Amino acid sequence: MKGPLSKVLTIFWKDILLEIRTKEVVTSILVFALLVLVIFNFAFEPETATMSLVAPGILWVAFTFAGVLGLNRVFALERENSRLAGLLLCPVDHMAIYWGKLLGSFTFMLAIEIVVTPIFLVLLNLSLFLPRLILIIVLATLGFTSVGTLFSALAINIRARDIMLPILFLPIVVPVIIAAVEATAVVLQGGPWGDMLTWLQIMIAFDIIYLVVATLVFQYVVEG
Amino acid sequence: MNGRSALRHYILVGLGFALMVAALYMVFIYVPTDKNMGAVQRIFYFHVPLAWIAFLAFFVVFVCSILYLTKRDMKWDVIASASAEVGVVFTSLVLITGSIWAKAAWGIWWTWDARLTATLVLWFTYVAYLLVRHYVAEDSQRARLGAVLGIVGFIDVPIVALAIMLWRTQHPGALIFEGGLVTSMLITLLVCIIAFTVLYIILVVQSTRLKNMEADIRNIKNNRPD
């Protein structure tokens, strides 16, 4: 008998293996996120004083949109050839499926952000060494994927799912977006830890609340 | 509809009508005009009750969603969806009446103030809830997914409120309560709150009854012998 953790890791590894072999999701969304950054440079005049003010917003809009696209794929993948039915027939708890899928989407999004963030900093001529930004990205990404994985599973059951996921997802993650943008602004301006503490607390609270709630309600989304 | 429930229904509608007439009388004739803000302040007697009852409506959605998932009785799902519909209409009215007041008081239709922004996010959340319900064809699946969204959406409310509050706050609304609310204004506000609560109940009861009838017709159609 395997423990719950190894079941979660098995599901997680299945998604990772699939991604390593097809390279579908990460590559295309990475290019999309970079495009959003570039497009925003056309929308706002680059290399002006206002750039440092809008920079956190640009970064997080890119990540949010990229996240929505990626999350659309998390369960859409399982629609083909009744793979979801197969997954649900696995002798594992539904919570394990949620956590496996969550770990997968979290890893994919983080992989994209690891590549996009340095490019973003280079394009805007900002300092590359920002360890505090890593903390913000991890917390915000966990918030995005905790809700997003649940909604991704929900969206595959409904018509117009491609548009419904962002419509569901964006209002719910408003607190994370606000907190991430504000905390990133503090980091980019070299502000003290104290200034970003409140925002980190909001993200931590959001992450914990939604990890618990989503774990509890996930079974109702996938049943039947 | 049997005799007793019909009677209850007429009493409720009659009460709602009388209260609404009383509320209109008090708002436009009884209560004195505000010294600082003038006649436009009177919109506040509709604006505040609408906002509170919209919030109550979403709380009802939350409670009914939990009850549906635990008891699996379609009754709770019907009440939840009826309450969400009324809640979205009331929230829309809150945003509209608020804009009218803001134009007169602040000179702008809209500002990214904490309460305004939070109300807007709330509106989007429950519009999404109604859209999802619309896009699911099968009854029990619609109820299940709706219930999940009713829970997940409502839990977001305090976090959204907190985050936006810290982000920016300029709303002078709370001052109205702390400072100069004359007794006549307070009474008017209370009557309006009661009138709108009764209106909310009437709308939810009506909508629930309509949804039940629709479900009955669907069942009859599906079980046709031919």
Side-chain angles (χ1 to χ4, degrees):
Chain A
M1 244 345 243
K2 283 181 164 185
L5 184 66
S6 79
K7 287 172 181 169
V8 168
L9 289 176
T10 307
I11 293 166
F12 165 66
W13 185 241
K14 166 191 88 72
D15 281 2
I16 295 290
L17 208 58
L18 194 69
E19 182 55 33
I20 290 172
R21 287 180 186 163
T22 61
K23 298 180 188 64
E24 260 178 18
V25 181
V26 172
T27 328
S28 51
I29 291 169
L30 180 66
V31 176
F32 173 78
L34 289 173
L35 263 174
V36 173
L37 287 186
V38 173
I39 297 290
F40 261 114
N41 280 285
F42 301 136
F44 301 103
E45 276 299 312
E47 291 171 54
T48 57
T50 52
M51 206 55 203
S52 65
L53 293 173
V54 291
I58 295 175
L59 184 69
W60 285 102
V61 168
F63 286 165
T64 309
F65 286 175
V68 171
L69 276 188
L71 291 164
N72 243 334
R73 298 290 302 161
V74 176
F75 275 91
L77 215 64
E78 306 287 350
R79 279 176 58 78
E80 294 157 27
N81 305 326
S82 318
R83 278 191 263 174
L84 184 62
L87 190 60
L88 292 174
L89 282 172
C90 289
V92 295
D93 202 23
H94 286 166
M95 289 180 190
I97 297 175
Y98 171 74
W99 278 88
K101 281 290 184 184
L102 169 72
L103 273 183
S105 46
F106 180 70
T107 311
F108 293 152
M109 250 193 101
L110 223 51
I112 292 161
E113 287 161 344
I114 285 170
V115 181
V116 171
T117 311
I119 296 175
F120 163 80
L121 295 172
V122 166
L123 284 176
L124 295 178
N125 296 314
L126 294 161
S127 158
L128 271 177
F129 183 70
L130 296 166
R132 289 189 291 172
L133 193 57
I134 298 170
L135 179 65
I136 298 168
I137 289 175
V138 168
L139 286 176
T141 306
L142 191 58
F144 281 169
T145 46
S146 65
V147 181
T149 306
L150 178 74
F151 284 172
S152 177
L154 196 151
I156 57 161
N157 290 308
I158 57 183
R159 282 182 284 136
R161 65 188 72 88
D162 293 341
I163 186 65
M164 278 317 293
L165 182 65
I167 289 177
L168 282 170
F169 175 75
L170 294 176
I172 300 287
V173 297
V174 158
V176 179
I177 297 175
I178 292 175
V181 168
E182 295 295 324
T184 306
V186 173
V187 172
L188 292 186
Q189 285 155 16
W193 270 95
D195 286 3
M196 55 186 278
L197 198 62
T198 328
W199 304 115
L200 294 181
Q201 284 169 341
I202 285 184
M203 283 193 277
I204 292 168
F206 185 97
D207 292 357
I208 293 171
I209 289 170
Y210 274 102
L211 283 174
V212 172
V213 173
T215 306
L216 290 175
V217 299
F218 183 75
Q219 50 170 318
Y220 300 114
V221 171
V222 290
E223 86 178 30
Chain B
M1 187 158 57
N2 61 36
R4 262 179 61 195
S5 94
L7 184 67
R8 265 211 309 267
H9 174 68
Y10 287 125
I11 291 173
L12 194 63
V13 172
L15 182 71
F17 182 74
L19 276 166
M20 207 45 95
V21 170
L24 283 169
Y25 171 79
M26 292 181 86
V27 168
F28 286 106
I29 297 163
Y30 165 74
V31 80
T33 306
D34 187 84
K35 194 169 63 188
N36 298 322
M37 283 184 271
V40 75
Q41 185 263 348
R42 290 175 198 271
I43 207 167
F44 145 93
Y45 299 109
F46 276 16
H47 178 71
V48 174
L50 281 170
W52 287 1
I53 288 149
F55 194 79
L56 173 77
F58 297 140
F59 180 67
V60 170
V61 176
F62 174 65
V63 173
C64 289
S65 296
I66 293 174
L67 284 171
Y68 175 77
L69 288 182
T70 49
K71 301 217 190 312
R72 295 301 169 115
D73 186 340
M74 280 309 271
K75 164 176 92 181
W76 299 118
D77 177 61
V78 172
I79 299 174
S81 74
S83 190
E85 283 170 9
V86 180
V88 167
V89 172
F90 277 24
T91 312
S92 310
L93 289 173
V94 169
L95 292 169
I96 293 167
T97 53
S99 280
I100 295 170
W101 183 86
K103 182 67 184 169
W106 299 333
I108 40 170
W109 292 111
W110 182 264
T111 169
W112 293 99
D113 152 83
R115 280 188 214 198
L116 275 73
T117 314
T119 311
L120 188 64
V121 173
L122 197 66
W123 185 85
F124 273 117
T125 307
Y126 285 91
V127 167
Y129 170 90
L130 293 178
L131 278 175
V132 165
R133 298 189 62 99
H134 178 74
Y135 282 128
V136 184
E138 204 257 317
D139 279 349
S140 71
Q141 191 175 44
R142 184 188 321 114
R144 252 188 312 111
L145 300 185
V148 167
L149 285 179
I151 295 167
V152 172
F154 192 76
I155 287 169
D156 205 33
V157 174
I159 314 174
V160 168
L162 178 70
I164 296 176
M165 207 80 82
L166 290 166
W167 179 50
R168 55 183 47 177
T169 184
Q170 285 132 29
H171 200 290
L175 292 174
I176 296 168
F177 297 98
E178 287 161 13
L181 246 204
V182 196
T183 319
S184 65
M185 288 179 166
L186 192 66
I187 293 169
T188 310
L189 181 63
L190 285 176
V191 170
C192 287
I193 288 170
I194 296 166
F196 275 100
T197 310
V198 173
L199 178 67
Y200 163 75
I201 295 168
I202 292 170
L203 289 174
V204 171
V205 168
Q206 287 287 29
S207 176
T208 306
R209 186 178 291 152
L210 189 67
K211 283 171 201 290
N212 284 333
M213 284 177 189
E214 281 171 358
D216 286 348
I217 291 171
R218 260 203 312 279
N219 288 336
I220 294 166
K221 263 188 190 164
N222 293 341
N223 296 333
R224 252 191 333 213
D226 57 357

